[in-house]
Amino acid sequence: MIASPPRIGGLDVQSWGDPQDPVVLLIGAPQGLSPDWRRWVRALVEAGRHVLLADALEAGDEAAGLRRLLTDISSRPAILCSAQTLAAVVPALVVTGPALASCLIVAGEAPVEATAPLDGLPILTLDPDAPADPGETADAVILAFLERQAPREALYYQAGSDPRTLRDALGCFATGVTVVTTQDEAGQPVGLTANSFSSVSLDPPLILFCLARSSSNLERFQRAAHFAINVLHIGQQPMSGAFARSSAERFDGVAWETWDTGAPILSGSLASFECATHQVVEAGDHLVFIGRVTRARFEPRRAPLLYFRGRYRRLHFA
Ligand SMILES: Cc1cc2nc3c(=O)[nH]c(=O)nc-3n(C[C@H](O)[C@H](O)[C@H](O)COP(=O)(O)O)c2cc1C
Protein backbone atom coordinates (compact mmCIF):
# COMPACT_ATOMS: atom_id res chain seq x y z
CA MET A 1 0.00 0.00 0.00
CA ILE A 2 1.32 3.45 -0.87
CA ALA A 3 0.35 6.38 1.34
CA SER A 4 0.73 10.03 0.38
CA PRO A 5 -0.46 13.05 2.41
CA PRO A 6 -2.37 15.50 0.17
CA ARG A 7 -4.56 18.22 1.74
CA ILE A 8 -8.26 18.13 0.98
CA GLY A 9 -10.79 20.52 2.49
CA GLY A 10 -8.03 22.00 4.66
CA LEU A 11 -7.19 18.63 6.24
CA ASP A 12 -4.22 16.28 5.90
CA VAL A 13 -5.48 13.17 4.18
CA GLN A 14 -3.68 9.87 3.70
CA SER A 15 -4.57 7.97 0.55
CA TRP A 16 -4.31 4.41 -0.72
CA GLY A 17 -5.16 2.99 -4.12
CA ASP A 18 -5.81 4.56 -7.50
CA PRO A 19 -7.19 8.14 -7.45
CA GLN A 20 -9.35 7.21 -10.49
CA ASP A 21 -11.36 4.77 -8.36
CA PRO A 22 -14.49 5.65 -6.36
CA VAL A 23 -13.60 7.10 -2.96
CA VAL A 24 -14.17 5.59 0.48
CA LEU A 25 -13.50 8.18 3.19
CA LEU A 26 -12.42 6.82 6.59
CA ILE A 27 -13.27 8.96 9.59
CA GLY A 28 -12.41 8.24 13.19
CA ALA A 29 -10.10 5.30 12.44
CA PRO A 30 -7.97 4.38 15.46
CA GLN A 31 -4.59 6.13 15.62
CA GLY A 32 -2.11 4.19 13.51
CA LEU A 33 -4.97 2.00 12.14
CA SER A 34 -5.91 -1.13 14.07
CA PRO A 35 -5.50 -4.52 12.35
CA ASP A 36 -9.22 -4.53 11.43
CA TRP A 37 -9.09 -1.12 9.73
CA ARG A 38 -5.81 -2.02 8.05
CA ARG A 39 -7.42 -5.16 6.61
CA TRP A 40 -10.41 -3.14 5.43
CA VAL A 41 -8.15 -0.62 3.68
CA ARG A 42 -6.37 -3.46 1.87
CA ALA A 43 -9.63 -5.17 0.91
CA LEU A 44 -11.11 -1.88 -0.33
CA VAL A 45 -8.06 -1.08 -2.50
CA GLU A 46 -8.06 -4.62 -3.92
CA ALA A 47 -11.75 -4.20 -4.74
CA GLY A 48 -11.00 -1.05 -6.76
CA ARG A 49 -11.68 1.68 -4.21
CA HIS A 50 -9.60 4.78 -3.49
CA VAL A 51 -9.32 5.05 0.28
CA LEU A 52 -8.84 8.42 2.01
CA LEU A 53 -8.15 8.72 5.71
CA ALA A 54 -8.93 12.15 7.14
CA ASP A 55 -7.03 13.64 10.03
CA ALA A 56 -8.93 14.37 13.22
CA LEU A 57 -11.62 16.99 12.62
CA GLU A 58 -11.22 20.17 14.62
CA ALA A 59 -13.16 19.99 17.90
CA GLY A 60 -16.25 22.21 17.86
CA ASP A 61 -16.10 22.57 14.07
CA GLU A 62 -16.53 18.90 13.12
CA ALA A 63 -19.69 19.21 11.00
CA ALA A 64 -18.46 22.20 8.98
CA GLY A 65 -15.00 20.63 8.61
CA LEU A 66 -16.44 17.36 7.33
CA ARG A 67 -18.79 19.18 4.93
CA ARG A 68 -15.80 21.13 3.52
CA LEU A 69 -13.92 17.86 3.07
CA LEU A 70 -16.87 16.16 1.34
CA THR A 71 -17.48 19.05 -1.05
CA ASP A 72 -13.76 19.08 -1.96
CA ILE A 73 -13.78 15.41 -2.98
CA SER A 74 -14.74 15.37 -6.66
CA SER A 75 -17.21 12.44 -6.51
CA ARG A 76 -19.66 11.52 -3.73
CA PRO A 77 -17.61 9.23 -1.48
CA ALA A 78 -18.80 6.37 0.68
CA ILE A 79 -18.03 7.13 4.34
CA LEU A 80 -16.71 4.57 6.79
CA CYS A 81 -16.68 5.85 10.36
CA SER A 82 -16.40 4.40 13.85
CA ALA A 83 -19.43 4.37 16.14
CA GLN A 84 -17.56 6.78 18.44
CA THR A 85 -17.29 9.44 15.70
CA LEU A 86 -20.89 9.09 14.60
CA ALA A 87 -21.91 12.05 16.77
CA ALA A 88 -19.56 14.28 14.73
CA VAL A 89 -20.48 12.76 11.35
CA VAL A 90 -24.29 12.84 11.57
CA PRO A 91 -24.65 16.67 11.83
CA ALA A 92 -22.58 17.07 8.65
CA LEU A 93 -24.92 14.78 6.73
CA VAL A 94 -28.32 15.91 7.98
CA VAL A 95 -30.59 16.93 5.06
CA THR A 96 -27.76 17.24 2.50
CA GLY A 97 -26.31 13.76 3.27
CA PRO A 98 -27.36 11.99 0.04
CA ALA A 99 -25.92 14.90 -1.98
CA LEU A 100 -22.56 14.73 -0.21
CA ALA A 101 -22.04 10.98 0.28
CA SER A 102 -23.20 7.82 -1.49
CA CYS A 103 -23.60 5.80 1.72
CA LEU A 104 -22.43 5.45 5.32
CA ILE A 105 -20.83 2.45 7.03
CA VAL A 106 -20.65 2.56 10.83
CA ALA A 107 -18.07 0.26 12.43
CA GLY A 108 -19.29 -0.67 15.90
CA GLU A 109 -22.50 -0.78 17.82
CA ALA A 110 -24.67 2.27 17.13
CA PRO A 111 -28.26 2.80 18.33
CA VAL A 112 -30.79 3.19 15.50
CA GLU A 113 -31.75 6.66 16.85
CA ALA A 114 -28.18 7.88 16.25
CA THR A 115 -28.55 7.65 12.47
CA ALA A 116 -32.30 8.42 12.32
CA PRO A 117 -31.75 12.03 11.10
CA LEU A 118 -29.97 10.72 7.98
CA ASP A 119 -33.13 9.96 6.05
CA GLY A 120 -32.45 8.79 2.50
CA LEU A 121 -28.79 7.89 3.04
CA PRO A 122 -28.09 4.12 2.79
CA ILE A 123 -26.48 3.00 6.08
CA LEU A 124 -24.73 -0.21 7.09
CA THR A 125 -23.96 -0.84 10.76
CA LEU A 126 -21.21 -3.36 11.44
CA ASP A 127 -22.23 -4.48 14.87
CA PRO A 128 -19.43 -6.68 16.24
CA ASP A 129 -21.91 -8.45 18.55
CA ALA A 130 -24.54 -9.14 15.90
CA PRO A 131 -24.40 -12.71 14.59
CA ALA A 132 -22.85 -12.73 11.10
CA ASP A 133 -23.49 -15.48 8.58
CA PRO A 134 -20.94 -18.24 9.10
CA GLY A 135 -17.86 -17.56 7.00
CA GLU A 136 -18.94 -14.00 6.15
CA THR A 137 -16.25 -11.55 7.17
CA ALA A 138 -16.75 -7.83 7.88
CA ASP A 139 -14.63 -7.09 4.75
CA ALA A 140 -17.03 -9.12 2.58
CA VAL A 141 -20.08 -7.38 4.11
CA ILE A 142 -18.54 -3.92 3.48
CA LEU A 143 -17.59 -4.75 -0.11
CA ALA A 144 -21.01 -6.21 -0.92
CA PHE A 145 -22.73 -3.10 0.54
CA LEU A 146 -20.50 -0.81 -1.55
CA GLU A 147 -21.20 -2.84 -4.70
CA ARG A 148 -24.92 -2.17 -4.14
CA GLN A 149 -24.78 1.45 -2.99
CA ALA A 150 -21.74 2.84 -4.83
CA PRO A 151 -21.15 0.57 -7.83
CA ARG A 152 -18.09 1.12 -9.97
CA GLU A 153 -18.74 2.19 -13.53
CA ALA A 154 -18.10 -0.49 -16.14
CA LEU A 155 -16.11 0.29 -19.31
CA TYR A 156 -17.35 -0.76 -22.75
CA TYR A 157 -15.72 -2.05 -25.89
CA GLN A 158 -17.41 -2.27 -29.26
CA ALA A 159 -16.11 -4.14 -32.31
CA GLY A 160 -13.78 -1.93 -34.30
CA SER A 161 -13.13 0.55 -31.49
CA ASP A 162 -10.10 1.09 -29.28
CA PRO A 163 -8.09 -2.17 -29.00
CA ARG A 164 -6.62 -0.97 -25.68
CA THR A 165 -10.06 -1.24 -24.03
CA LEU A 166 -10.44 -4.78 -25.36
CA ARG A 167 -7.00 -5.63 -24.00
CA ASP A 168 -7.98 -4.26 -20.60
CA ALA A 169 -11.21 -6.26 -20.69
CA LEU A 170 -9.28 -9.44 -21.49
CA GLY A 171 -6.84 -8.61 -18.67
CA CYS A 172 -9.72 -9.13 -16.21
CA PHE A 173 -9.26 -12.86 -16.65
CA ALA A 174 -6.61 -13.87 -14.09
CA THR A 175 -4.21 -16.50 -15.39
CA GLY A 176 -1.19 -18.45 -14.31
CA VAL A 177 2.12 -17.89 -16.09
CA THR A 178 4.03 -20.47 -18.13
CA VAL A 179 7.30 -20.73 -20.02
CA VAL A 180 6.68 -22.60 -23.28
CA THR A 181 9.75 -24.38 -24.62
CA THR A 182 10.95 -26.46 -27.53
CA GLN A 183 14.24 -27.62 -29.02
CA ASP A 184 15.20 -26.30 -32.45
CA GLU A 185 16.78 -28.22 -35.34
CA ALA A 186 20.28 -27.25 -34.15
CA GLY A 187 19.53 -28.79 -30.73
CA GLN A 188 19.27 -25.36 -29.05
CA PRO A 189 16.72 -24.71 -26.30
CA VAL A 190 13.97 -22.20 -27.16
CA GLY A 191 11.49 -20.66 -24.74
CA LEU A 192 9.20 -17.72 -24.07
CA THR A 193 6.78 -16.57 -21.39
CA ALA A 194 3.12 -17.24 -22.22
CA ASN A 195 -0.11 -16.92 -20.26
CA SER A 196 -2.34 -18.10 -23.11
CA PHE A 197 -2.13 -21.68 -21.83
CA SER A 198 -5.36 -23.64 -21.49
CA SER A 199 -6.40 -27.23 -20.99
CA VAL A 200 -8.51 -28.47 -23.90
CA SER A 201 -9.38 -32.16 -23.54
CA LEU A 202 -8.78 -35.04 -21.12
CA ASP A 203 -9.47 -37.81 -23.64
CA PRO A 204 -7.33 -37.47 -25.63
CA PRO A 205 -5.17 -35.29 -23.33
CA LEU A 206 -4.86 -31.98 -25.19
CA ILE A 207 -3.66 -28.54 -24.11
CA LEU A 208 -2.98 -25.33 -26.04
CA PHE A 209 -1.07 -22.07 -26.05
CA CYS A 210 -1.17 -19.14 -28.49
CA LEU A 211 2.00 -17.81 -30.09
CA ALA A 212 2.18 -14.34 -31.65
CA ARG A 213 3.01 -14.34 -35.35
CA SER A 214 5.55 -11.66 -34.47
CA SER A 215 7.53 -14.06 -32.25
CA SER A 216 11.12 -14.51 -33.36
CA ASN A 217 10.63 -18.18 -32.43
CA LEU A 218 7.54 -18.81 -34.54
CA GLU A 219 9.29 -20.93 -37.17
CA ARG A 220 11.17 -22.96 -34.57
CA PHE A 221 7.89 -23.94 -32.90
CA GLN A 222 6.28 -24.65 -36.29
CA ARG A 223 9.15 -26.89 -37.37
CA ALA A 224 9.45 -28.79 -34.07
CA ALA A 225 7.05 -31.68 -33.60
CA HIS A 226 6.89 -31.07 -29.87
CA PHE A 227 6.81 -28.46 -27.11
CA ALA A 228 6.64 -28.30 -23.33
CA ILE A 229 4.62 -26.05 -21.02
CA ASN A 230 6.22 -25.15 -17.68
CA VAL A 231 3.76 -23.64 -15.18
CA LEU A 232 5.60 -21.20 -12.89
CA HIS A 233 5.38 -20.95 -9.12
CA ILE A 234 5.53 -17.75 -7.11
CA GLY A 235 9.33 -17.96 -6.77
CA GLN A 236 9.83 -18.02 -10.55
CA GLN A 237 8.70 -14.45 -11.32
CA PRO A 238 12.25 -13.38 -12.37
CA MET A 239 12.24 -16.29 -14.83
CA SER A 240 8.96 -15.07 -16.31
CA GLY A 241 10.56 -11.65 -16.82
CA ALA A 242 13.69 -13.14 -18.40
CA PHE A 243 11.73 -15.28 -20.86
CA ALA A 244 9.61 -12.30 -21.93
CA ARG A 245 12.63 -10.08 -22.76
CA SER A 246 14.32 -10.27 -26.16
CA SER A 247 17.60 -11.88 -25.30
CA ALA A 248 19.57 -14.79 -26.66
CA GLU A 249 20.61 -15.80 -23.14
CA ARG A 250 17.23 -16.73 -21.68
CA PHE A 251 18.47 -20.14 -20.48
CA ASP A 252 21.61 -18.76 -18.76
CA GLY A 253 21.62 -19.81 -15.12
CA VAL A 254 18.37 -21.76 -15.55
CA ALA A 255 18.35 -25.41 -14.46
CA TRP A 256 16.53 -27.65 -16.93
CA GLU A 257 16.38 -31.22 -18.12
CA THR A 258 14.87 -33.04 -21.04
CA TRP A 259 12.49 -35.99 -21.13
CA ASP A 260 11.52 -37.67 -24.42
CA THR A 261 11.47 -34.87 -26.98
CA GLY A 262 14.31 -32.51 -26.04
CA ALA A 263 11.93 -29.65 -25.09
CA PRO A 264 13.39 -28.05 -21.92
CA ILE A 265 11.64 -29.00 -18.69
CA LEU A 266 12.47 -26.20 -16.21
CA SER A 267 13.54 -27.63 -12.86
CA GLY A 268 11.25 -26.97 -9.91
CA SER A 269 8.31 -25.69 -11.97
CA LEU A 270 4.87 -25.99 -10.45
CA ALA A 271 3.91 -28.31 -13.31
CA SER A 272 5.45 -29.35 -16.63
CA PHE A 273 3.67 -30.89 -19.60
CA GLU A 274 5.58 -32.45 -22.49
CA CYS A 275 3.54 -32.58 -25.69
CA ALA A 276 3.61 -33.82 -29.24
CA THR A 277 2.30 -31.04 -31.49
CA HIS A 278 -1.21 -32.20 -32.43
CA GLN A 279 -2.54 -29.30 -34.50
CA VAL A 280 -1.57 -25.72 -35.33
CA VAL A 281 -4.52 -23.40 -36.02
CA GLU A 282 -4.09 -19.98 -37.62
CA ALA A 283 -6.06 -17.39 -35.63
CA GLY A 284 -5.58 -13.72 -36.46
CA ASP A 285 -2.24 -12.40 -35.29
CA HIS A 286 -1.51 -15.62 -33.33
CA LEU A 287 -1.10 -19.34 -34.05
CA VAL A 288 -2.82 -21.74 -31.66
CA PHE A 289 -0.56 -24.68 -30.85
CA ILE A 290 -2.53 -27.69 -29.61
CA GLY A 291 -0.40 -30.41 -28.04
CA ARG A 292 -1.11 -33.97 -26.99
CA VAL A 293 0.35 -34.46 -23.51
CA THR A 294 2.78 -37.37 -23.34
CA ARG A 295 4.30 -36.73 -19.91
CA ALA A 296 3.48 -34.42 -17.01
CA ARG A 297 4.90 -33.70 -13.60
CA PHE A 298 3.57 -31.40 -10.88
CA GLU A 299 4.49 -30.15 -7.43
CA PRO A 300 1.40 -30.30 -5.18
CA ARG A 301 2.41 -27.86 -2.43
CA ARG A 302 3.60 -24.66 -4.11
CA ALA A 303 1.68 -21.46 -4.81
CA PRO A 304 1.28 -20.33 -8.43
CA LEU A 305 2.59 -17.13 -10.01
CA LEU A 306 -0.48 -15.24 -11.25
CA TYR A 307 -0.99 -12.54 -13.87
CA PHE A 308 -3.94 -10.15 -13.72
CA ARG A 309 -4.53 -6.73 -15.31
CA GLY A 310 -0.98 -6.61 -16.66
CA ARG A 311 0.72 -7.32 -13.31
CA TYR A 312 2.11 -10.28 -11.45
CA ARG A 313 0.01 -11.32 -8.47
CA ARG A 314 0.01 -13.89 -5.74
CA LEU A 315 -2.81 -16.04 -4.47
CA HIS A 316 -4.35 -15.02 -1.14
CA PHE A 317 -5.64 -18.07 0.59
CA ALA A 318 -8.75 -17.33 2.62
C1 LIG B 1 2.88 -12.55 -18.50
C2 LIG B 1 3.19 -12.64 -19.98
C3 LIG B 1 2.43 -13.44 -20.79
C4 LIG B 1 2.71 -13.55 -22.15
N1 LIG B 1 1.96 -14.39 -22.93
C5 LIG B 1 2.25 -14.55 -24.23
C6 LIG B 1 1.52 -15.49 -25.02
O1 LIG B 1 0.63 -16.17 -24.53
N2 LIG B 1 1.86 -15.62 -26.33
C7 LIG B 1 2.87 -14.87 -26.89
O2 LIG B 1 3.13 -15.03 -28.08
N3 LIG B 1 3.57 -13.96 -26.16
C8 LIG B 1 3.30 -13.80 -24.84
N4 LIG B 1 4.01 -12.92 -24.07
C9 LIG B 1 5.05 -12.11 -24.71
C10 LIG B 1 6.31 -12.91 -24.95
O3 LIG B 1 6.79 -13.58 -23.78
C11 LIG B 1 7.40 -11.90 -25.40
O4 LIG B 1 6.91 -11.17 -26.47
C12 LIG B 1 8.65 -12.57 -25.81
O5 LIG B 1 9.66 -11.60 -25.84
C13 LIG B 1 8.54 -13.18 -27.17
O6 LIG B 1 9.82 -13.64 -27.44
P1 LIG B 1 10.25 -14.23 -28.85
O7 LIG B 1 10.06 -13.18 -29.89
O8 LIG B 1 11.68 -14.57 -28.63
O9 LIG B 1 9.39 -15.43 -29.06
C14 LIG B 1 3.77 -12.81 -22.72
C15 LIG B 1 4.54 -11.98 -21.89
C16 LIG B 1 4.26 -11.90 -20.53
C17 LIG B 1 5.10 -11.03 -19.66
Side-chain angles (χ1 to χ4, degrees), residues 175-178 191-197 209-218 221 240-241 243-247 250 286 307 312:
T175 67
V177 181
T178 74
L192 75 143
T193 302
N195 68 341
S196 54
F197 168 65
F209 78 99
C210 304
L211 183 59
R213 281 181 188 275
S214 59
S215 165
S216 60
N217 287 306
L218 186 73
F221 276 97
S240 172
F243 277 88
R245 276 192 290 276
S246 46
S247 154
R250 287 178 180 171
H286 280 64
Y307 198 71
Y312 293 109

Side-chain angles (χ1 to χ4, degrees), residues 175-235:
T175 67
V177 181
T178 74
V179 170
V180 184
T181 58
T182 192
Q183 188 183 53
D184 71 9
E185 287 164 317
Q188 290 304 306
V190 174
L192 75 143
T193 302
N195 68 341
S196 54
F197 168 65
S198 175
S199 61
V200 175
S201 158
L202 274 180
D203 185 18
L206 301 177
I207 60 175
L208 67 77
F209 78 99
C210 304
L211 183 59
R213 281 181 188 275
S214 59
S215 165
S216 60
N217 287 306
L218 186 73
E219 284 176 15
R220 292 187 185 90
F221 276 97
Q222 281 178 304
R223 279 201 293 266
H226 60 265
F227 63 85
I229 303 270
N230 298 276
V231 180
L232 303 189
H233 61 73
I234 192 72

